Amino acid sequence: MINLIADLGAGLLTRLVQIGQALLMLLQAIFVQPKASSLPRLMQQLFVVGVQSLIIMLVSALFIGMVLGLQGYTLLSAYGSEQAVGQMVALTLVRELSPVVAALLFAGRAGSALTAEIGLMKATEQLASLEMFGIDPLHRIVAPRFWAGMISLPLLVAIFSLVGIYGGHLVAVDWLGVYSGSYWGNMQQAVDFNEDVLNGMIKALVFAFLISWIALYQGYSCVPTSQGISAATTRTVVYSSLAILGFDFILTALMFGGAV
Amino acid sequence: MNKRWLELSVGLMMVAGLAALVALALQVSGGNMSRNAEHYAISALFENAAGLGPKAKVTMAGVIVGEVVAVGIDPHTLMAEVHMKINSQVNYISIDSSASILTAGLLGEKYIGLTVGAEDDVLVAGDVIEDTQSALVLEELISQFLLNVGDNK
């Protein structure tokens, strides 16, 4: 019994130590003196993390928008108010679906790759050799990847929302015959830039922070074996997804919950 | 060459992302921003403010001129006290104006409609509109109707 409680305490302490290590790693990586020579590395990472995630984002945004348009139309036409489909599609996407789905895809597409890459660097002792040369791997490896995530996810979310809204337009207006003017008009009346679009962007920033942090820490602290890397990659996706969904609820409650 | 292409694609992504944000601002939200424009606060006492809540529209001749801030009970008169903020550009609401709680459509949201009176003096911050018409409560209407039907027998 006492052993059990001691195990519990030990588990908690290890977790706390891990969180502390992750925090230290992050602080060291974020507060880097930006140098002109580090710009190409940031570019490289923006390409890997951002541009290469673009296709999956575009395709999923289009399909999600089309599904929302279709479902919204069937549901709303039962009440004779299918004009409101634009408003429904836009608010659902901008407030919730774009940040969350884009972040989940980003965790699967970019986060796992980051973990695997850094884990492999650790396993092949590239990180150790960098340190031998007197180059801090946190500055050289972790920082550009972190900032690339922070920059690209909000941009991807904005693109996601827009493509999704046009996907809804495609189904609702072009196929099902909702009047285009009421699709956009109702949407413009209902969507508020500060309250809806910017809050969605804040969510995207928070998710980008969480994903980059988790992915980089998992890679940096993984057991440098092939099993260790695969376990760390899995943990990245699982932890990121849980963190995204959990924080999404908290952020939604803070942003939209206190209205009444 | 390869490096140039990489930079180009990153640049294109950033332009596309920012352009999407601008499009969200203009096309999707129609430039709607909850600006903290200048407002002045007035209130009105209603016998019944059922269904009215914060952020409900305040209109004048069908045009939105402000919104409801809070709804509470006035402890002296025990009536519903509705606080609203009115756009400061609309500074010509005469003091004998009346406020009524209206419904958009049969089941739609409640909003306040202001009907301007004839006086030259205008409402300023802190003023109270006395001449009000309460929310239409469907149940009361039905019970009144049933009562009338019963009387006519």
Side-chain angles (χ1 to χ4, degrees), chain A residues 218-253:
Chain A
Q218 289 298 344
Y220 204 71
S221 69
C222 77
V223 181
T225 58
S226 38
Q227 288 100 332
I229 294 171
S230 97
T233 313
T234 311
R235 274 202 301 274
T236 295
V237 176
V238 172
Y239 289 174
S240 304
S241 309
L242 289 178
I244 289 163
L245 295 171
F247 269 82
D248 181 55
F249 176 72
I250 297 172
L251 288 173
T252 305

Short mmCIF file of all heavy atoms in Angstrom, two decimals, chain A residues 218-253:
data_model
loop_
_atom_site.label_atom_id
_atom_site.label_comp_id
_atom_site.label_asym_id
_atom_site.label_seq_id
_atom_site.Cartn_x
_atom_site.Cartn_y
_atom_site.Cartn_z
N GLN A 218 9.51 16.05 -27.20
CA GLN A 218 9.50 14.59 -27.33
C GLN A 218 10.70 14.10 -28.14
O GLN A 218 11.31 13.09 -27.82
CB GLN A 218 8.20 14.10 -27.98
CG GLN A 218 6.96 14.25 -27.10
CD GLN A 218 7.04 13.43 -25.83
OE1 GLN A 218 7.86 12.53 -25.70
NE2 GLN A 218 6.20 13.77 -24.87
N GLY A 219 11.02 14.83 -29.21
CA GLY A 219 12.17 14.43 -30.00
C GLY A 219 13.46 14.61 -29.23
O GLY A 219 14.35 13.74 -29.25
N TYR A 220 13.55 15.72 -28.53
CA TYR A 220 14.79 16.07 -27.85
C TYR A 220 15.09 15.14 -26.68
O TYR A 220 16.24 14.91 -26.33
CB TYR A 220 14.69 17.52 -27.36
CG TYR A 220 16.01 18.19 -27.16
CD1 TYR A 220 16.80 18.53 -28.24
CD2 TYR A 220 16.48 18.48 -25.89
CE1 TYR A 220 18.02 19.15 -28.08
CE2 TYR A 220 17.69 19.10 -25.71
CZ TYR A 220 18.45 19.43 -26.80
OH TYR A 220 19.65 20.03 -26.63
N SER A 221 14.00 14.63 -26.06
CA SER A 221 14.20 13.84 -24.84
C SER A 221 13.94 12.36 -25.08
O SER A 221 13.83 11.60 -24.12
CB SER A 221 13.26 14.34 -23.75
OG SER A 221 11.95 14.02 -24.10
N CYS A 222 13.83 11.93 -26.35
CA CYS A 222 13.44 10.54 -26.58
C CYS A 222 14.61 9.61 -26.24
O CYS A 222 15.77 10.01 -26.14
CB CYS A 222 13.01 10.34 -28.03
SG CYS A 222 14.37 10.25 -29.17
N VAL A 223 14.27 8.34 -26.05
CA VAL A 223 15.29 7.31 -25.87
C VAL A 223 15.91 7.06 -27.24
O VAL A 223 15.20 6.74 -28.19
CB VAL A 223 14.66 6.02 -25.33
CG1 VAL A 223 15.73 4.96 -25.12
CG2 VAL A 223 13.91 6.30 -24.05
N PRO A 224 17.24 7.24 -27.40
CA PRO A 224 17.81 7.24 -28.74
C PRO A 224 17.96 5.85 -29.36
O PRO A 224 19.06 5.42 -29.70
CB PRO A 224 19.16 7.93 -28.55
CG PRO A 224 19.51 7.69 -27.14
CD PRO A 224 18.24 7.57 -26.37
N THR A 225 16.86 5.14 -29.44
CA THR A 225 16.85 3.86 -30.15
C THR A 225 15.69 3.90 -31.12
O THR A 225 14.88 4.83 -31.08
CB THR A 225 16.62 2.70 -29.18
OG1 THR A 225 15.37 2.93 -28.52
CG2 THR A 225 17.72 2.58 -28.15
N SER A 226 15.60 2.89 -31.99
CA SER A 226 14.50 2.94 -32.95
C SER A 226 13.15 2.83 -32.26
O SER A 226 12.20 3.53 -32.62
CB SER A 226 14.66 1.86 -34.02
OG SER A 226 15.16 0.69 -33.43
N GLN A 227 13.06 1.96 -31.21
CA GLN A 227 11.79 1.90 -30.47
C GLN A 227 11.50 3.22 -29.78
O GLN A 227 10.36 3.69 -29.74
CB GLN A 227 11.81 0.80 -29.41
CG GLN A 227 11.75 -0.59 -29.94
CD GLN A 227 13.13 -1.22 -29.96
OE1 GLN A 227 14.15 -0.50 -30.07
NE2 GLN A 227 13.19 -2.54 -29.87
N GLY A 228 12.57 3.81 -29.22
CA GLY A 228 12.39 5.08 -28.51
C GLY A 228 11.85 6.15 -29.43
O GLY A 228 10.93 6.89 -29.06
N ILE A 229 12.37 6.22 -30.64
CA ILE A 229 11.91 7.25 -31.58
C ILE A 229 10.48 7.00 -31.97
O ILE A 229 9.66 7.93 -32.01
CB ILE A 229 12.81 7.27 -32.83
CG1 ILE A 229 14.22 7.72 -32.44
CG2 ILE A 229 12.24 8.21 -33.88
CD1 ILE A 229 15.21 7.58 -33.55
N SER A 230 10.14 5.75 -32.22
CA SER A 230 8.76 5.48 -32.64
C SER A 230 7.80 5.77 -31.49
O SER A 230 6.72 6.34 -31.70
CB SER A 230 8.62 4.05 -33.14
OG SER A 230 8.13 3.21 -32.13
N ALA A 231 8.20 5.43 -30.24
CA ALA A 231 7.33 5.73 -29.10
C ALA A 231 7.17 7.24 -28.94
O ALA A 231 6.07 7.75 -28.67
CB ALA A 231 7.90 5.12 -27.83
N ALA A 232 8.27 7.98 -29.14
CA ALA A 232 8.20 9.43 -28.98
C ALA A 232 7.30 10.05 -30.04
O ALA A 232 6.53 10.96 -29.75
CB ALA A 232 9.60 10.04 -29.06
N THR A 233 7.39 9.52 -31.27
CA THR A 233 6.54 10.05 -32.34
C THR A 233 5.07 9.82 -32.01
O THR A 233 4.24 10.71 -32.17
CB THR A 233 6.89 9.38 -33.67
OG1 THR A 233 8.30 9.39 -33.80
CG2 THR A 233 6.27 10.09 -34.82
N THR A 234 4.77 8.61 -31.53
CA THR A 234 3.39 8.33 -31.14
C THR A 234 2.94 9.28 -30.04
O THR A 234 1.84 9.83 -30.10
CB THR A 234 3.27 6.88 -30.64
OG1 THR A 234 3.90 6.03 -31.58
CG2 THR A 234 1.84 6.48 -30.44
N ARG A 235 3.81 9.45 -29.03
CA ARG A 235 3.44 10.35 -27.93
C ARG A 235 3.17 11.75 -28.44
O ARG A 235 2.25 12.41 -27.97
CB ARG A 235 4.56 10.37 -26.89
CG ARG A 235 4.47 9.25 -25.86
CD ARG A 235 5.24 9.63 -24.61
NE ARG A 235 6.64 9.87 -24.91
CZ ARG A 235 7.58 8.91 -24.95
NH1 ARG A 235 7.24 7.66 -24.73
NH2 ARG A 235 8.83 9.22 -25.20
N THR A 236 3.99 12.22 -29.39
CA THR A 236 3.76 13.56 -29.93
C THR A 236 2.35 13.71 -30.46
O THR A 236 1.63 14.65 -30.11
CB THR A 236 4.75 13.85 -31.07
OG1 THR A 236 6.05 13.87 -30.54
CG2 THR A 236 4.44 15.17 -31.74
N VAL A 237 1.93 12.73 -31.29
CA VAL A 237 0.61 12.85 -31.90
C VAL A 237 -0.47 12.75 -30.84
O VAL A 237 -1.43 13.54 -30.82
CB VAL A 237 0.43 11.79 -33.00
CG1 VAL A 237 -0.96 11.86 -33.58
CG2 VAL A 237 1.46 12.00 -34.09
N VAL A 238 -0.31 11.78 -29.91
CA VAL A 238 -1.36 11.59 -28.90
C VAL A 238 -1.45 12.81 -27.97
O VAL A 238 -2.52 13.37 -27.77
CB VAL A 238 -1.07 10.32 -28.08
CG1 VAL A 238 -2.03 10.21 -26.91
CG2 VAL A 238 -1.19 9.10 -28.96
N TYR A 239 -0.31 13.24 -27.45
CA TYR A 239 -0.33 14.37 -26.52
C TYR A 239 -0.81 15.64 -27.21
O TYR A 239 -1.60 16.41 -26.66
CB TYR A 239 1.05 14.61 -25.92
CG TYR A 239 1.50 13.56 -24.93
CD1 TYR A 239 2.78 13.58 -24.41
CD2 TYR A 239 0.64 12.56 -24.51
CE1 TYR A 239 3.22 12.62 -23.50
CE2 TYR A 239 1.05 11.59 -23.61
CZ TYR A 239 2.35 11.62 -23.11
OH TYR A 239 2.77 10.67 -22.23
N SER A 240 -0.33 15.87 -28.44
CA SER A 240 -0.75 17.08 -29.14
C SER A 240 -2.25 17.08 -29.35
O SER A 240 -2.92 18.08 -29.08
CB SER A 240 -0.08 17.20 -30.50
OG SER A 240 1.29 17.16 -30.40
N SER A 241 -2.79 15.94 -29.82
CA SER A 241 -4.22 15.90 -30.08
C SER A 241 -5.01 16.16 -28.81
O SER A 241 -5.96 16.95 -28.80
CB SER A 241 -4.62 14.55 -30.67
OG SER A 241 -3.79 14.23 -31.75
N LEU A 242 -4.61 15.50 -27.72
CA LEU A 242 -5.33 15.71 -26.46
C LEU A 242 -5.22 17.16 -26.01
O LEU A 242 -6.20 17.78 -25.58
CB LEU A 242 -4.79 14.78 -25.38
CG LEU A 242 -5.13 13.31 -25.58
CD1 LEU A 242 -4.50 12.47 -24.48
CD2 LEU A 242 -6.64 13.12 -25.56
N ALA A 243 -4.01 17.72 -26.13
CA ALA A 243 -3.82 19.11 -25.70
C ALA A 243 -4.65 20.05 -26.54
O ALA A 243 -5.28 20.98 -26.01
CB ALA A 243 -2.34 19.48 -25.79
N ILE A 244 -4.71 19.79 -27.87
CA ILE A 244 -5.49 20.67 -28.75
C ILE A 244 -6.95 20.64 -28.33
O ILE A 244 -7.59 21.69 -28.13
CB ILE A 244 -5.35 20.22 -30.21
CG1 ILE A 244 -3.95 20.53 -30.73
CG2 ILE A 244 -6.38 20.90 -31.08
CD1 ILE A 244 -3.61 19.77 -31.97
N LEU A 245 -7.50 19.43 -28.16
CA LEU A 245 -8.93 19.34 -27.86
C LEU A 245 -9.24 19.91 -26.48
O LEU A 245 -10.23 20.61 -26.29
CB LEU A 245 -9.39 17.88 -27.97
CG LEU A 245 -9.27 17.33 -29.39
CD1 LEU A 245 -9.51 15.85 -29.43
CD2 LEU A 245 -10.23 18.05 -30.31
N GLY A 246 -8.37 19.63 -25.52
CA GLY A 246 -8.59 20.15 -24.17
C GLY A 246 -8.52 21.67 -24.15
O GLY A 246 -9.42 22.34 -23.63
N PHE A 247 -7.47 22.22 -24.74
CA PHE A 247 -7.32 23.67 -24.73
C PHE A 247 -8.40 24.34 -25.56
O PHE A 247 -8.78 25.47 -25.27
CB PHE A 247 -5.93 24.08 -25.22
CG PHE A 247 -4.95 24.19 -24.11
CD1 PHE A 247 -4.31 23.06 -23.62
CD2 PHE A 247 -4.66 25.41 -23.55
CE1 PHE A 247 -3.43 23.15 -22.57
CE2 PHE A 247 -3.78 25.52 -22.51
CZ PHE A 247 -3.15 24.38 -22.01
N ASP A 248 -8.89 23.63 -26.61
CA ASP A 248 -9.94 24.23 -27.41
C ASP A 248 -11.18 24.46 -26.57
O ASP A 248 -11.81 25.51 -26.65
CB ASP A 248 -10.29 23.33 -28.60
CG ASP A 248 -11.36 23.96 -29.45
OD1 ASP A 248 -11.14 25.10 -29.87
OD2 ASP A 248 -12.41 23.34 -29.67
N PHE A 249 -11.50 23.49 -25.71
CA PHE A 249 -12.67 23.69 -24.84
C PHE A 249 -12.45 24.88 -23.91
O PHE A 249 -13.32 25.74 -23.75
CB PHE A 249 -12.96 22.43 -24.03
CG PHE A 249 -14.09 22.64 -23.07
CD1 PHE A 249 -15.38 22.73 -23.54
CD2 PHE A 249 -13.84 22.80 -21.72
CE1 PHE A 249 -16.42 22.97 -22.67
CE2 PHE A 249 -14.88 23.04 -20.84
CZ PHE A 249 -16.17 23.11 -21.33
N ILE A 250 -11.26 24.94 -23.31
CA ILE A 250 -11.00 26.04 -22.37
C ILE A 250 -11.08 27.38 -23.09
O ILE A 250 -11.72 28.33 -22.62
CB ILE A 250 -9.61 25.85 -21.73
CG1 ILE A 250 -9.60 24.56 -20.91
CG2 ILE A 250 -9.25 27.04 -20.86
CD1 ILE A 250 -8.24 24.19 -20.39
N LEU A 251 -10.43 27.46 -24.27
CA LEU A 251 -10.43 28.72 -25.00
C LEU A 251 -11.83 29.11 -25.44
O LEU A 251 -12.23 30.27 -25.34
CB LEU A 251 -9.52 28.61 -26.22
CG LEU A 251 -8.03 28.57 -25.92
CD1 LEU A 251 -7.24 28.30 -27.18
CD2 LEU A 251 -7.59 29.89 -25.32
N THR A 252 -12.60 28.10 -25.91
CA THR A 252 -13.97 28.41 -26.32
C THR A 252 -14.78 28.92 -25.14
O THR A 252 -15.53 29.88 -25.27
CB THR A 252 -14.63 27.15 -26.91
OG1 THR A 252 -13.82 26.67 -27.95
CG2 THR A 252 -16.00 27.47 -27.45
N ALA A 253 -14.61 28.27 -23.99
CA ALA A 253 -15.35 28.71 -22.80
C ALA A 253 -14.97 30.14 -22.45
O ALA A 253 -15.83 30.96 -22.09
CB ALA A 253 -15.08 27.77 -21.63
#
